[in-house]
Each structure stands twice: as structure tokens, then as C-alpha cells.
Amino acid sequence: RKEVEQDPGPFNVPEGATVAFNCTYSNSASQSFFWYRQDCRKEPKLLMSVYSSGNEDGRFTAQLNRASQYISLLIRDSKLSDSATYLCVVNRMEYGNKLVFGAGTILRVKS
Amino acid sequence: DADVTQTPRNRITKTGKRIMLECSQTKGHDRMYWYRQDPGLGLRLIYYSFDVKDINKGEISDGYSVSRQAQAKFSLSLESAIPNQTALYFCATSDFSVSGANVLTFGAGSRLTVL
């Protein structure tokens, strides 16, 4: 079983739609959580950190459920420019603060 | 100029050849990393370095070596390239964070094809 698992998608949604992705992680020692965005053939870039109380950044909302070991990302009012792969990333507090990446969820927003 | 620069951006080589991928950064970060990305597998850590004298293996270091020539430079070598090393390679940097929540800044990637 992968340490970080995501539905690969693709999620095909119309502009203006609300879409949600989930990510599960297997290591209960995980302490920090992130969503990165990766455009086609480009490098990953940090979208947002995920805090225990949940956090919002504009149209994006991230939630963490430690008991069930999953992280979610909600995108409201989807834009064409949101089309990308969204990577769930988990950080473990051990030497190296190893970051473990999920394989990503593909989102395609269509007009 | 980009904060993290990788060269070459694309390389096609033959089995058995030695290849070096170079990474330089202007962010002043102490920590540098090499990842490879394969379809369906996500990014996997090859090597990482917390400072010039510190080199650590990641989860897939076999067949690779690294050199941290300076704080700003971290190179990845494939001593004898093989086809299953065909992948997209990313260099990344991060700063030290007391919370441990280190955020990575990636280079644009180096696409390597081994024939």
C-alpha cells in the first residue's frame, strides 16, 4: 500500500463547479500536510498547507482528519486555470523531515 | 532568473553513459533535494543534503550519486545510465523550519531519456 494515496482522476468539471479531492495517508506519525499544484510538464508549486482546524485561501479549502488519516481539498467556482494535477504531500517529523508525495489527482475544468 | 535552475532541461542518452544533472539556487537555502517523477508514482526522493557536508540517501538512491559543491549547488550523477532511469528529475530547496513544515521550491525539471 502506498503511504499517500490519491484518486488519479481525471475529474472533468464545468467552469463554476465545486470539486473535492481526498487523499489518505497511512503513517500516523505524519505531522504536516500540504497540497501542491503541478501544471502539465511544469514543476510542483505549493498551493496551501493544511492545518488541523482546516483553512481557506480564496476559493480553496483544505481539511485534515487525523482520526481517519485523510486530507481534503475543495475548490469552489472552478476556473479553466485550475486545470492541473493536485499533489497531496505529507511530512513526517523525523531526520530529514521526509516529504512523501501522492501520485496526484488530475483536474480538468472545461468551458 | 529562476530561484532554482536545473541543467540540462532535456537530455537523451544511451545505456551505459555517465550523466550529470546540475542544480543551482539563489534562495540561500541550506537544504537541497533530488526527486524523480514517474507517471502514476508521484515524486520519489533520491538524495538530500542539509548543508555542504551533509549527504543523505533517499528512498531510491541506487544507481545515483550526488555532490554538494557549495551551498548553492547540488548535482546528481548517473554513473552508468539504464533505461529505467528515464524520468523527469526535479531539484528542490527548502529552508529550515522549527515546525518541521519545510516547504519545497522546485526547479523546472530535467527530462532524461535513456535509450
Side-chain angles (χ1 to χ4, degrees):
Chain A
R1 181 187 173 190
K2 293 179 182 177
E3 187 168 347
V4 179
E5 297 214 54
Q6 298 182 247
D7 181 343
F11 285 61
N12 295 301
V13 302
E15 275 186 291
T18 295
V19 61
F21 311 134
N22 285 335
C23 161
T24 59
Y25 61 95
S26 61
N27 193 317
S28 59
S30 302
Q31 296 204 359
S32 301
F33 309 90
F34 309 89
W35 285 101
Y36 278 70
R37 171 195 167 126
Q38 186 174 22
D39 293 321
C40 187
R41 300 181 185 275
K42 301 277 190 173
E43 72 274 24
K45 293 184 179 179
L46 178 68
L47 177 66
M48 59 197 301
S49 301
V50 186
Y51 302 120
S52 296
S53 56
N55 49 298
E56 190 172 301
D57 183 1
R59 297 181 292 109
F60 299 83
T61 300
Q63 297 279 354
L64 168 63
N65 184 318
R66 286 187 185 271
S68 300
Q69 294 183 198
Y70 79 79
I71 307 150
S72 65
L73 178 68
L74 180 78
I75 305 175
R76 291 181 298 278
D77 188 22
S78 298
K79 312 291 185 190
L80 294 174
S81 57
D82 293 333
S83 297
T85 299
Y86 291 83
L87 307 176
C88 174
V89 185
V90 171
N91 172 307
R92 278 191 273 127
M93 282 291 284
E94 61 188 15
Y95 183 68
N97 280 323
K98 180 183 175 185
L99 286 180
V100 183
F101 285 78
T105 297
I106 297 171
L107 171 65
R108 296 177 184 150
V109 182
K110 300 184 183 297
S111 58
Chain B
D1 288 344
D3 292 329
V4 182
T5 302
Q6 292 184 230
T7 56
R9 293 292 314 282
N10 289 282
R11 182 72 183 269
I12 299 173
T13 191
K14 294 182 179 179
T15 297
K17 293 292 187 182
R18 183 177 187 273
I19 295 296
M20 179 180 286
L21 305 180
E22 302 196 33
C23 177
S24 62
Q25 53 117 344
T26 58
K27 293 191 71 70
H29 288 167
D30 286 326
R31 301 181 172 198
M32 298 188 73
Y33 310 80
W34 276 104
Y35 288 87
R36 69 177 276 176
Q37 187 173 37
D38 299 276
L41 292 180
L43 281 89
R44 292 181 292 167
L45 184 62
I46 306 172
Y47 270 96
Y48 61 99
S49 169
F50 279 5
D51 64 41
V52 175
K53 297 180 180 179
D54 178 76
I55 300 290
N56 305 282
K57 292 182 177 181
E59 57 186 305
I60 54 162
S61 59
D62 287 349
Y64 302 95
S65 62
V66 291
S67 174
R68 186 80 184 266
Q69 302 95 323
Q71 188 211 33
K73 296 183 182 295
F74 193 37
S75 58
L76 176 71
S77 293
L78 289 68
E79 296 301 326
S80 180
I82 56 177
N84 76 0
Q85 291 178 313
T86 293
L88 182 56
Y89 290 84
F90 286 105
C91 175
T93 72
S94 73
D95 206 353
F96 172 74
S97 166
V98 174
S99 69
N102 50 316
V103 172
L104 298 180
T105 300
F106 286 89
S110 295
R111 186 169 295 279
L112 176 65
T113 302
V114 184
L115 302 176

